[in-house]
Coordinates of all heavy atoms in Angstrom, one line a residue:
M1 N 210.6 -1.9 17.9 CA 210.0 -2.1 16.6 C 208.9 -3.1 16.7 O 209.1 -4.3 17.2 CB 211.0 -2.4 15.6 CG 210.5 -2.5 14.2 SD 211.8 -2.9 12.9 CE 212.5 -1.3 12.7
T2 N 207.6 -2.8 16.3 CA 206.6 -3.7 16.3 C 206.6 -4.7 15.2 O 207.4 -4.4 14.2 CB 205.2 -2.9 16.2 OG1 205.1 -2.4 14.9 CG2 205.0 -1.8 17.2
P3 N 206.0 -5.8 15.3 CA 206.0 -6.8 14.2 C 205.6 -6.2 12.9 O 206.1 -6.5 11.8 CB 205.1 -7.9 14.7 CG 205.0 -7.8 16.1 CD 205.2 -6.3 16.4
D4 N 204.6 -5.3 12.9 CA 204.2 -4.7 11.7 C 205.2 -3.8 10.9 O 205.2 -3.7 9.8 CB 202.9 -3.8 11.9 CG 201.6 -4.6 11.7 OD1 201.7 -5.8 11.5 OD2 200.5 -4.0 12.0
E5 N 206.1 -3.2 11.8 CA 207.1 -2.4 11.3 C 208.2 -3.1 10.6 O 209.0 -2.6 9.8 CB 207.7 -1.5 12.4 CG 206.7 -0.4 12.9 CD 207.3 0.3 14.1 OE1 207.9 -0.3 15.0 OE2 207.0 1.6 14.2
K6 N 208.3 -4.5 10.9 CA 209.3 -5.2 10.3 C 208.9 -5.8 8.9 O 209.6 -6.3 8.1 CB 209.6 -6.4 11.1 CG 210.2 -6.1 12.4 CD 210.4 -7.3 13.3 CE 211.0 -6.8 14.7 NZ 211.1 -8.0 15.6
L7 N 207.6 -5.6 8.5 CA 207.0 -6.1 7.3 C 207.5 -5.3 6.1 O 207.7 -4.1 6.3 CB 205.5 -6.3 7.3 CG 204.9 -7.1 8.3 CD1 203.4 -7.0 8.3 CD2 205.2 -8.6 7.9
S8 N 207.7 -6.0 5.0 CA 208.1 -5.2 3.8 C 206.8 -4.7 3.2 O 205.7 -5.1 3.6 CB 208.6 -6.2 2.8 OG 207.7 -7.1 2.3
L9 N 206.9 -3.7 2.3 CA 205.7 -3.1 1.6 C 205.0 -4.3 1.0 O 203.7 -4.2 1.0 CB 206.2 -2.1 0.6 CG 205.1 -1.4 -0.3 CD1 204.0 -0.7 0.5 CD2 205.7 -0.5 -1.3
A10 N 205.6 -5.2 0.3 CA 204.8 -6.2 -0.3 C 204.0 -7.1 0.6 O 202.8 -7.4 0.4 CB 205.8 -7.1 -1.2
D11 N 204.6 -7.3 1.8 CA 203.9 -8.0 2.8 C 202.6 -7.2 3.3 O 201.5 -7.8 3.6 CB 204.8 -8.3 4.1 CG 205.8 -9.4 3.7 OD1 205.6 -10.1 2.8 OD2 206.9 -9.3 4.4
K12 N 202.8 -5.9 3.5 CA 201.7 -5.1 4.0 C 200.6 -5.0 2.8 O 199.5 -5.1 3.2 CB 202.3 -3.7 4.3 CG 203.1 -3.7 5.5 CD 203.6 -2.3 5.8 CE 204.5 -2.3 7.0 NZ 205.3 -1.0 7.1
L13 N 201.0 -4.9 1.6 CA 200.0 -4.9 0.6 C 199.3 -6.1 0.4 O 198.1 -6.2 0.0 CB 200.7 -4.5 -0.8 CG 201.2 -3.0 -0.9 CD1 201.9 -2.8 -2.2 CD2 200.1 -2.0 -0.7
Y14 N 199.9 -7.2 0.8 CA 199.3 -8.5 0.7 C 198.1 -8.6 1.6 O 197.2 -9.4 1.4 CB 200.4 -9.6 0.9 CG 199.8 -11.0 0.7 CD1 199.6 -11.5 -0.5 CD2 199.6 -11.8 1.9 CE1 199.0 -12.8 -0.7 CE2 199.0 -13.1 1.7 CZ 198.8 -13.6 0.4 OH 198.3 -14.8 0.3
R15 N 198.1 -7.8 2.7 CA 197.0 -7.9 3.6 C 195.7 -7.2 3.2 O 194.8 -7.2 3.9 CB 197.5 -7.2 5.0 CG 198.5 -7.9 5.7 CD 198.9 -7.1 6.8 NE 199.6 -8.0 7.9 CZ 199.7 -7.6 9.1 NH1 199.4 -6.4 9.5 NH2 200.3 -8.4 10.0
T16 N 195.9 -6.5 2.0 CA 194.7 -5.8 1.5 C 194.1 -6.6 0.3 O 194.9 -6.9 -0.6 CB 195.1 -4.4 1.1 OG1 195.7 -3.7 2.2 CG2 193.9 -3.5 0.6
K17 N 192.8 -6.6 0.2 CA 192.2 -7.3 -0.9 C 191.7 -6.2 -1.8 O 191.1 -5.3 -1.4 CB 191.0 -8.2 -0.4 CG 190.3 -8.9 -1.6 CD 189.2 -9.9 -1.0 CE 188.5 -10.5 -2.2 NZ 187.3 -11.1 -1.9
Y18 N 191.9 -6.4 -3.2 CA 191.5 -5.5 -4.2 C 190.5 -6.1 -5.1 O 190.6 -7.3 -5.4 CB 192.6 -5.0 -5.0 CG 193.7 -4.4 -4.1 CD1 194.8 -5.2 -3.7 CD2 193.8 -3.0 -3.9 CE1 195.8 -4.7 -3.0 CE2 194.8 -2.4 -3.2 CZ 195.8 -3.3 -2.7 OH 196.8 -2.7 -2.0
E19 N 189.6 -5.3 -5.6 CA 188.8 -5.7 -6.7 C 189.2 -4.9 -7.9 O 188.8 -3.7 -8.1 CB 187.3 -5.5 -6.4 CG 186.4 -5.9 -7.5 CD 186.4 -7.4 -7.7 OE1 186.5 -8.1 -6.7 OE2 186.2 -7.8 -8.9
P20 N 190.1 -5.3 -8.8 CA 190.6 -4.5 -9.9 C 189.5 -4.1 -10.9 O 188.5 -4.8 -11.0 CB 191.6 -5.4 -10.5 CG 191.3 -6.7 -10.1 CD 190.6 -6.7 -8.8
D21 N 189.8 -3.1 -11.6 CA 188.9 -2.6 -12.7 C 189.7 -2.4 -14.0 O 190.1 -1.3 -14.3 CB 188.2 -1.3 -12.2 CG 187.1 -0.9 -13.1 OD1 186.7 -1.7 -14.0 OD2 186.5 0.2 -12.9
P22 N 190.0 -3.5 -14.6 CA 190.9 -3.5 -15.7 C 190.4 -2.5 -16.8 O 189.2 -2.4 -17.2 CB 190.8 -4.9 -16.3 CG 190.3 -5.7 -15.2 CD 189.5 -4.8 -14.4
G23 N 191.3 -1.7 -17.3 CA 191.0 -0.8 -18.4 C 190.4 0.5 -17.8 O 190.1 1.4 -18.7
H24 N 190.1 0.6 -16.6 CA 189.5 1.8 -16.0 C 190.4 2.3 -14.7 O 189.9 2.3 -13.7 CB 188.1 1.6 -15.6 CG 187.2 1.3 -16.8 ND1 186.9 0.0 -17.0 CD2 186.7 2.1 -17.8 CE1 186.1 0.0 -18.2 NE2 186.0 1.1 -18.6
P25 N 191.6 2.7 -15.0 CA 192.5 3.1 -13.9 C 191.9 4.4 -13.1 O 191.4 5.3 -13.8 CB 193.8 3.5 -14.4 CG 193.5 3.7 -15.9 CD 192.3 2.9 -16.3
H26 N 191.7 4.3 -11.9 CA 191.2 5.5 -11.2 C 192.4 6.5 -10.8 O 192.1 7.6 -10.2 CB 190.5 5.2 -9.9 CG 191.4 4.6 -8.8 ND1 191.9 3.2 -8.9 CD2 191.8 5.0 -7.6 CE1 192.6 3.0 -7.9 NE2 192.6 4.0 -7.1
V27 N 193.6 6.1 -11.2 CA 194.8 7.1 -10.9 C 195.5 7.2 -12.3 O 195.8 6.2 -12.9 CB 195.8 6.4 -9.9 CG1 196.9 7.4 -9.6 CG2 195.1 6.0 -8.6
T28 N 195.7 8.4 -12.6 CA 196.4 8.7 -13.8 C 197.3 9.8 -13.6 O 197.2 10.6 -12.7 CB 195.5 9.0 -15.1 OG1 194.7 10.1 -14.7 CG2 194.7 7.7 -15.5
V29 N 198.4 10.0 -14.4 CA 199.3 11.2 -14.3 C 199.4 11.7 -15.7 O 199.4 11.1 -16.7 CB 200.7 10.8 -13.8 CG1 200.6 10.4 -12.4 CG2 201.3 9.7 -14.6
D30 N 199.5 13.1 -15.8 CA 199.7 13.8 -17.0 C 201.2 13.8 -17.2 O 201.9 14.5 -16.5 CB 199.0 15.2 -16.9 CG 199.3 16.0 -18.1 OD1 199.4 15.5 -19.2 OD2 199.5 17.2 -17.9
A31 N 201.5 13.2 -18.4 CA 203.0 13.0 -18.6 C 203.6 14.5 -18.8 O 204.8 14.7 -18.3 CB 203.2 12.2 -19.8
A32 N 203.0 15.3 -19.5 CA 203.5 16.6 -19.7 C 203.8 17.4 -18.4 O 204.7 18.1 -18.2 CB 202.6 17.4 -20.6
S33 N 202.8 17.3 -17.5 CA 202.9 18.1 -16.2 C 204.0 17.4 -15.4 O 204.8 18.1 -14.7 CB 201.6 17.8 -15.4 OG 200.5 18.5 -16.1
L34 N 204.2 16.2 -15.5 CA 205.3 15.5 -14.6 C 206.6 15.9 -15.2 O 207.6 16.1 -14.4 CB 205.1 14.0 -14.7 CG 204.0 13.4 -13.8 CD1 203.9 12.0 -14.0 CD2 204.5 13.6 -12.3
K35 N 206.7 16.1 -16.5 CA 208.1 16.5 -17.0 C 208.4 17.9 -16.6 O 209.6 18.3 -16.4 CB 208.0 16.3 -18.6 CG 208.2 14.9 -19.0 CD 208.4 14.9 -20.4 CE 208.7 13.4 -20.8 NZ 209.3 13.3 -22.2
K36 N 207.4 18.7 -16.4 CA 207.6 20.1 -16.0 C 207.8 20.2 -14.4 O 208.4 21.2 -13.9 CB 206.4 21.0 -16.3 CG 206.2 21.2 -17.8 CD 204.9 22.1 -18.0 CE 204.7 22.0 -19.4 NZ 203.3 22.6 -19.7
A37 N 207.3 19.3 -13.7 CA 207.4 19.3 -12.3 C 208.9 19.4 -11.8 O 209.8 18.6 -12.2 CB 206.8 18.1 -11.6
K38 N 209.2 20.3 -10.8 CA 210.5 20.4 -10.3 C 210.8 19.3 -9.3 O 211.9 18.8 -9.3 CB 210.6 21.8 -9.6 CG 210.6 23.0 -10.6 CD 210.8 24.3 -9.8 CE 210.6 25.5 -10.7 NZ 210.3 26.7 -10.1
T39 N 209.9 18.9 -8.6 CA 210.0 17.7 -7.7 C 209.0 16.8 -8.0 O 207.9 17.1 -8.5 CB 209.9 18.1 -6.2 OG1 208.6 18.8 -6.0 CG2 211.0 19.2 -5.9
R40 N 209.2 15.6 -7.6 CA 208.2 14.5 -7.9 C 207.9 13.9 -6.5 O 208.3 12.8 -6.2 CB 208.7 13.5 -8.8 CG 208.9 14.1 -10.2 CD 209.3 13.0 -11.2 NE 209.4 13.7 -12.5 CZ 209.8 13.1 -13.6 NH1 210.3 11.9 -13.5 NH2 209.9 13.8 -14.7
K41 N 207.1 14.7 -5.7 CA 206.8 14.3 -4.4 C 205.9 13.0 -4.3 O 206.1 12.3 -3.4 CB 205.9 15.4 -3.8 CG 206.6 16.7 -3.6 CD 205.7 17.9 -3.1 CE 205.0 18.4 -4.3 NZ 204.3 19.6 -4.0
I42 N 205.3 12.8 -5.4 CA 204.4 11.5 -5.4 C 205.2 10.3 -5.3 O 204.7 9.3 -4.8 CB 203.3 11.5 -6.5 CG1 204.1 11.5 -7.8 CG2 202.3 12.6 -6.4 CD1 203.2 11.3 -9.1
L43 N 206.4 10.3 -5.8 CA 207.4 9.2 -5.8 C 207.6 8.7 -4.3 O 207.8 7.6 -4.0 CB 208.6 9.4 -6.5 CG 208.5 9.4 -8.1 CD1 209.9 9.9 -8.6 CD2 208.0 8.3 -8.7
K44 N 207.7 9.7 -3.4 CA 207.9 9.4 -2.0 C 206.7 9.4 -1.2 O 206.6 8.7 -0.1 CB 208.9 10.4 -1.5 CG 210.3 10.3 -2.1 CD 211.2 11.3 -1.4 CE 212.6 11.2 -2.1 NZ 213.6 12.3 -1.6
A45 N 205.7 10.1 -1.6 CA 204.5 10.3 -0.7 C 203.6 9.1 -0.7 O 203.0 8.8 0.3 CB 203.7 11.5 -1.2
C46 N 203.5 8.4 -1.8 CA 202.6 7.2 -1.9 C 203.1 6.1 -1.0 O 204.1 5.5 -1.2 CB 202.4 6.7 -3.3 SG 201.3 5.3 -3.4
P47 N 202.2 5.7 0.0 CA 202.7 4.6 0.9 C 202.7 3.2 0.2 O 203.2 2.3 0.8 CB 201.7 4.7 2.0 CG 200.5 5.3 1.5 CD 201.0 6.2 0.4
A48 N 202.0 3.1 -0.8 CA 201.9 1.8 -1.5 C 202.8 1.7 -2.7 O 202.8 0.7 -3.5 CB 200.4 1.6 -2.0
G49 N 203.6 2.7 -3.0 CA 204.5 2.6 -4.1 C 203.8 2.5 -5.5 O 204.4 1.9 -6.4
V50 N 202.7 3.1 -5.6 CA 202.0 3.2 -6.8 C 202.8 3.9 -8.0 O 202.8 3.5 -9.1 CB 200.6 3.8 -6.6 CG1 199.9 4.2 -8.0 CG2 199.7 3.0 -5.8
Y51 N 203.5 5.0 -7.5 CA 204.2 5.8 -8.5 C 205.8 5.4 -8.5 O 206.3 5.4 -7.3 CB 204.1 7.3 -8.3 CG 202.7 7.7 -8.2 CD1 202.0 7.9 -6.8 CD2 201.9 8.0 -9.3 CE1 200.7 8.2 -6.8 CE2 200.6 8.4 -9.2 CZ 200.0 8.5 -7.9 OH 198.7 8.9 -7.9
T52 N 206.3 5.0 -9.6 CA 207.7 4.7 -9.6 C 208.3 5.3 -10.9 O 207.5 5.6 -11.9 CB 207.9 3.2 -9.7 OG1 207.2 2.7 -10.8 CG2 207.5 2.5 -8.3
K53 N 209.5 5.5 -10.9 CA 210.2 5.9 -12.2 C 210.2 4.8 -13.1 O 210.3 3.6 -12.8 CB 211.7 6.3 -11.9 CG 211.9 7.6 -11.2 CD 213.3 8.0 -11.1 CE 213.5 9.2 -10.3 NZ 214.9 9.6 -10.1
D54 N 209.7 5.2 -14.3 CA 209.7 4.2 -15.5 C 211.1 3.7 -15.8 O 212.0 4.6 -16.1 CB 209.1 5.0 -16.7 CG 208.7 4.0 -17.9 OD1 209.5 3.0 -18.0 OD2 207.6 4.1 -18.5
P55 N 211.4 2.5 -15.7 CA 212.7 2.0 -16.0 C 213.1 2.2 -17.3 O 214.4 2.2 -17.6 CB 212.6 0.4 -15.6 CG 211.1 0.2 -15.7 CD 210.4 1.4 -15.3
N56 N 212.3 2.4 -18.3 CA 212.6 2.6 -19.7 C 212.8 4.1 -20.0 O 213.4 4.4 -21.1 CB 211.6 2.0 -20.6 CG 211.4 0.6 -20.4 OD1 212.3 -0.2 -20.2 ND2 210.1 0.1 -20.4
D57 N 212.4 5.0 -19.2 CA 212.4 6.4 -19.5 C 212.4 7.1 -18.1 O 211.3 7.4 -17.5 CB 211.4 6.9 -20.3 CG 211.5 8.3 -20.7 OD1 212.4 9.1 -20.1 OD2 210.7 8.8 -21.6
P58 N 213.5 7.5 -17.5 CA 213.6 8.1 -16.2 C 212.9 9.5 -16.1 O 212.5 10.0 -15.1 CB 215.0 8.3 -15.9 CG 215.7 8.2 -17.2 CD 214.8 7.3 -18.1
E59 N 212.4 10.0 -17.3 CA 211.6 11.2 -17.3 C 210.1 10.9 -17.0 O 209.3 11.9 -16.8 CB 211.8 11.9 -18.6 CG 213.2 12.6 -18.8 CD 213.5 13.6 -17.9 OE1 212.6 14.5 -17.7 OE2 214.5 13.6 -17.3
K60 N 209.7 9.7 -17.1 CA 208.4 9.3 -17.0 C 208.1 8.6 -15.7 O 209.1 8.1 -15.1 CB 207.9 8.4 -18.1 CG 207.9 9.0 -19.4 CD 207.4 8.1 -20.5 CE 207.3 8.7 -21.9 NZ 206.9 7.8 -22.9
V61 N 206.9 8.7 -15.2 CA 206.5 8.0 -14.0 C 205.5 6.9 -14.4 O 204.5 7.1 -15.1 CB 205.8 8.9 -13.0 CG1 205.2 8.3 -11.8 CG2 206.7 10.0 -12.6
A62 N 205.9 5.7 -13.8 CA 204.9 4.5 -14.1 C 203.9 4.5 -12.9 O 204.2 4.8 -11.8 CB 205.7 3.3 -14.1
V63 N 202.6 4.1 -13.2 CA 201.6 4.1 -12.2 C 201.0 2.7 -12.2 O 200.5 2.2 -13.2 CB 200.4 5.1 -12.6 CG1 199.3 5.0 -11.6 CG2 201.0 6.5 -12.9
S64 N 201.1 2.2 -10.9 CA 200.5 0.8 -10.7 C 199.2 1.0 -9.9 O 199.2 0.7 -8.7 CB 201.5 -0.1 -9.9 OG 202.7 -0.2 -10.7
H65 N 198.2 1.4 -10.6 CA 196.9 1.8 -9.9 C 196.3 0.7 -9.1 O 195.5 0.9 -8.2 CB 196.0 2.4 -10.8 CG 195.4 1.4 -11.8 ND1 194.3 0.8 -11.6 CD2 195.9 1.1 -13.0 CE1 194.0 0.0 -12.6 NE2 195.0 0.1 -13.5
E66 N 196.6 -0.6 -9.5 CA 196.0 -1.7 -8.8 C 196.4 -1.9 -7.3 O 195.9 -2.6 -6.6 CB 196.2 -3.0 -9.6 CG 197.6 -3.3 -9.8 CD 198.3 -2.6 -11.0 OE1 197.7 -1.9 -11.7 OE2 199.6 -2.8 -11.1
N67 N 197.5 -1.2 -7.0 CA 198.1 -1.3 -5.6 C 197.6 -0.2 -4.7 O 197.9 -0.1 -3.6 CB 199.6 -1.2 -5.6 CG 200.2 -2.5 -6.2 OD1 199.5 -3.5 -6.2 ND2 201.5 -2.5 -6.5
C68 N 196.7 0.7 -5.3 CA 196.3 1.9 -4.5 C 195.5 1.6 -3.3 O 194.5 0.7 -3.4 CB 195.5 2.8 -5.5 SG 194.8 4.3 -4.7
L69 N 195.8 2.2 -2.2 CA 195.1 1.9 -0.9 C 194.0 2.9 -0.7 O 193.4 2.9 0.3 CB 196.1 2.0 0.2 CG 197.2 1.0 0.2 CD1 198.2 1.2 1.3 CD2 196.7 -0.4 0.3
E70 N 193.9 3.9 -1.6 CA 192.8 4.9 -1.5 C 193.0 5.8 -0.3 O 192.0 6.2 0.3 CB 191.4 4.2 -1.6 CG 191.2 3.4 -2.9 CD 189.9 2.7 -2.8 OE1 189.0 3.0 -2.1 OE2 189.8 1.6 -3.6
C71 N 194.2 6.1 0.0 CA 194.4 7.0 1.2 C 194.3 8.5 0.8 O 194.1 9.3 1.6 CB 195.8 6.7 1.7 SG 197.2 7.4 0.7
G72 N 194.4 8.8 -0.4 CA 194.2 10.2 -0.9 C 195.4 11.1 -0.8 O 195.4 12.3 -1.1
T73 N 196.6 10.6 -0.3 CA 197.8 11.3 -0.1 C 198.2 12.1 -1.5 O 198.5 13.3 -1.4 CB 198.9 10.5 0.4 OG1 198.5 9.9 1.6 CG2 200.2 11.4 0.6
C74 N 198.2 11.4 -2.6 CA 198.6 11.9 -3.8 C 197.7 13.0 -4.3 O 198.1 13.9 -5.1 CB 198.8 10.8 -4.8 SG 197.3 10.0 -5.2
R75 N 196.5 13.1 -3.8 CA 195.6 14.2 -4.2 C 196.2 15.4 -3.7 O 196.0 16.5 -4.2 CB 194.2 13.9 -3.7 CG 193.6 12.7 -4.3 CD 192.2 12.6 -3.8 NE 191.2 13.5 -4.5 CZ 189.9 13.5 -4.3 NH1 189.4 12.7 -3.5 NH2 189.2 14.3 -4.9
Q76 N 196.9 15.4 -2.6 CA 197.4 16.6 -2.1 C 198.9 16.8 -2.6 O 199.2 17.9 -3.1 CB 197.5 16.5 -0.5 CG 196.2 16.4 0.2 CD 195.3 17.5 -0.2 OE1 195.7 18.7 -0.1 NE2 194.0 17.2 -0.4
A77 N 199.7 15.8 -2.5 CA 201.1 15.9 -2.8 C 201.3 16.0 -4.3 O 202.2 16.6 -4.8 CB 201.8 14.7 -2.4
G78 N 200.3 15.5 -5.1 CA 200.5 15.5 -6.6 C 199.6 16.6 -7.2 O 199.5 16.5 -8.5
A79 N 199.1 17.4 -6.5 CA 198.0 18.4 -7.1 C 198.8 19.2 -8.2 O 198.2 19.5 -9.2 CB 197.6 19.3 -6.0
D80 N 200.1 19.5 -8.0 CA 200.8 20.3 -9.1 C 201.8 19.4 -9.9 O 202.5 19.9 -10.7 CB 201.6 21.4 -8.4 CG 202.6 20.8 -7.4 OD1 202.5 19.6 -7.0 OD2 203.6 21.6 -7.1
E81 N 201.5 18.1 -9.8 CA 202.3 17.2 -10.7 C 201.5 16.4 -11.7 O 202.0 15.3 -12.1 CB 203.1 16.3 -9.7 CG 204.0 17.0 -8.8 CD 205.0 16.1 -8.0 OE1 204.9 14.9 -8.2 OE2 205.6 16.7 -7.2
G82 N 200.3 16.8 -12.0 CA 199.5 16.2 -13.0 C 198.8 14.9 -12.5 O 198.4 14.1 -13.4
V83 N 198.6 14.7 -11.3 CA 197.9 13.5 -10.9 C 196.4 13.7 -10.9 O 195.9 14.7 -10.4 CB 198.4 13.2 -9.4 CG1 197.6 12.1 -8.8 CG2 199.9 12.8 -9.3
E84 N 195.8 12.8 -11.4 CA 194.4 12.8 -11.5 C 193.9 11.5 -10.7 O 194.2 10.4 -11.1 CB 193.9 12.6 -13.0 CG 192.4 12.6 -13.2 CD 191.8 14.1 -13.0 OE1 192.4 15.1 -13.3 OE2 190.6 14.2 -12.6
W85 N 193.2 11.7 -9.6 CA 192.7 10.6 -8.8 C 191.3 10.8 -8.5 O 190.8 11.9 -8.3 CB 193.5 10.7 -7.5 CG 193.3 9.5 -6.6 CD1 194.1 8.4 -6.6 CD2 192.3 9.2 -5.7 NE1 193.6 7.4 -5.6 CE2 192.5 8.0 -5.1 CE3 191.1 9.9 -5.3 CZ2 191.7 7.4 -4.2 CZ3 190.3 9.3 -4.3 CH2 190.5 8.1 -3.8
K86 N 190.6 9.6 -8.6 CA 189.1 9.7 -8.3 C 188.9 8.4 -7.6 O 189.5 7.4 -7.7 CB 188.3 9.9 -9.5 CG 188.4 8.7 -10.6 CD 187.6 8.9 -11.8 CE 187.9 7.8 -12.7 NZ 187.1 7.7 -13.8
Q87 N 187.6 8.3 -6.9 CA 187.3 7.1 -6.3 C 187.1 6.0 -7.4 O 186.5 6.3 -8.5 CB 186.0 7.3 -5.5 CG 186.1 8.0 -4.2 CD 186.8 7.3 -3.1 OE1 187.4 7.9 -2.4 NE2 186.7 6.0 -3.1
P88 N 187.5 4.8 -7.0 CA 187.1 3.7 -8.0 C 185.6 3.6 -8.2 O 184.9 3.9 -7.3 CB 187.7 2.5 -7.4 CG 188.7 3.0 -6.4 CD 188.2 4.3 -5.9
D89 N 185.2 3.1 -9.3 CA 183.8 2.9 -9.6 C 183.2 1.9 -8.5 O 183.9 1.1 -7.9 CB 183.6 2.3 -10.9 CG 183.8 3.3 -12.1 OD1 183.7 4.6 -11.7 OD2 184.0 2.9 -13.2
G90 N 182.0 2.0 -8.2 CA 181.4 1.2 -7.2 C 181.7 -0.3 -7.3 O 181.6 -0.9 -8.3
G91 N 182.0 -0.8 -6.0 CA 182.4 -2.2 -6.0 C 183.8 -2.5 -6.4 O 184.2 -3.7 -6.2
K92 N 184.5 -1.5 -6.8 CA 185.9 -1.8 -7.3 C 186.9 -1.2 -6.2 O 186.4 -0.4 -5.4 CB 186.2 -1.2 -8.6 CG 185.2 -1.7 -9.7 CD 185.5 -3.1 -10.0 CE 184.5 -3.6 -11.1 NZ 184.6 -5.0 -11.3
G93 N 188.2 -1.5 -6.4 CA 189.2 -0.9 -5.5 C 189.3 -1.8 -4.3 O 189.2 -3.0 -4.3
V94 N 189.7 -1.2 -3.2 CA 190.0 -1.8 -1.8 C 188.8 -2.5 -1.3 O 187.7 -1.8 -1.2 CB 190.6 -0.9 -0.8 CG1 190.8 -1.5 0.4 CG2 192.0 -0.3 -1.3
K95 N 188.7 -3.7 -1.0 CA 187.7 -4.5 -0.6 C 187.7 -4.8 0.9 O 186.8 -4.9 1.6 CB 187.5 -5.8 -1.3 CG 187.2 -5.6 -2.9 CD 186.0 -5.0 -3.2 CE 184.9 -6.1 -3.1 NZ 183.6 -5.6 -3.4
Y96 N 189.0 -5.0 1.3 CA 189.1 -5.5 2.7 C 190.5 -5.3 3.2 O 191.5 -5.4 2.5 CB 189.0 -7.1 2.7 CG 189.2 -7.6 4.0 CD1 188.2 -7.6 5.1 CD2 190.4 -8.4 4.3 CE1 188.6 -8.2 6.3 CE2 190.6 -9.0 5.5 CZ 189.6 -8.9 6.5 OH 189.9 -9.5 7.7
R97 N 190.6 -4.7 4.4 CA 191.9 -4.4 5.0 C 192.1 -5.3 6.3 O 191.1 -5.2 7.1 CB 192.1 -3.0 5.3 CG 192.1 -2.1 4.2 CD 192.4 -0.6 4.6 NE 192.6 0.3 3.4 CZ 191.7 1.1 3.0 NH1 190.6 1.2 3.6 NH2 192.0 1.8 2.0
Y98 N 193.2 -5.9 6.5 CA 193.5 -6.7 7.6 C 194.5 -5.9 8.4 O 195.7 -5.7 7.9 CB 193.9 -8.1 7.3 CG 194.3 -8.8 8.5 CD1 193.4 -9.3 9.4 CD2 195.7 -9.0 8.7 CE1 193.8 -10.1 10.5 CE2 196.1 -9.7 9.9 CZ 195.2 -10.3 10.8 OH 195.6 -10.9 11.8
G99 N 194.3 -5.7 9.7 CA 195.3 -5.1 10.5 C 195.4 -3.7 10.4 O 194.9 -2.9 9.7
Ligands
SF4_1 FE1 199.1 6.0 -3.3 FE2 197.3 6.8 -1.5 FE3 197.4 8.0 -3.9 FE4 196.6 5.5 -3.8 S1 195.6 7.4 -2.9 S2 198.0 6.3 -5.2 S3 197.8 4.7 -2.1 S4 199.0 8.0 -2.4

């Protein structure tokens, strides 16, 4: 096991610098589509844990767009789950990756 494999998700995310865009999330989910989805692949597919079950309503998915690594995985995995993803506006989003 390499040293990087021993790091927690929070440690790995700490290595990335973000420029947040408050009030303009580049990742959204359509709640109605998610309720219809038979599986919720995005909960497992996102490497940054952006999508989690809403602790107040297990039928809903919470989105922490500020942690997005812009890998694009959810564009594929979430295509039938109501995921809307676009590039962050210029100068926003991931600014720097270390390692
Ligand atoms: Fe997660 Fe990647 Fe989608 Fe961002 S682009 S929400 S990191 S799967």
Side-chain angles (χ1 to χ4, degrees):
M1 185 178 277
T2 66
D4 274 1
E5 291 172 323
K6 295 178 184 174
L7 294 174
S8 70
L9 175 58
D11 289 337
K12 291 176 182 175
L13 291 175
Y14 184 73
R15 292 176 156 195
T16 304
K17 181 180 177 192
Y18 303 89
E19 183 67 35
D21 192 3
H24 299 98
H26 67 286
V27 184
T28 58
V29 290
D30 173 35
S33 296
L34 282 170
K35 283 191 174 191
K36 292 178 192 168
K38 292 178 181 164
T39 60
R40 292 182 179 174
K41 294 173 280 191
I42 57 172
L43 292 174
K44 293 182 180 176
C46 177
V50 168
Y51 306 99
T52 56
K53 284 185 181 176
D54 187 323
N56 299 319
D57 184 351
E59 291 294 313
K60 292 183 179 176
V61 173
V63 181
S64 302
H65 67 91
E66 60 278 355
N67 290 340
C68 176
L69 300 172
E70 301 171 24
C71 71
T73 302
C74 61
R75 296 180 79 174
Q76 301 299 317
D80 59 346
E81 297 187 8
V83 172
E84 182 77 30
W85 190 95
K86 60 181 181 174
Q87 285 292 146
D89 288 341
K92 303 296 182 184
V94 173
K95 301 289 282 183
Y96 175 76
R97 292 186 174 103
Y98 173 78

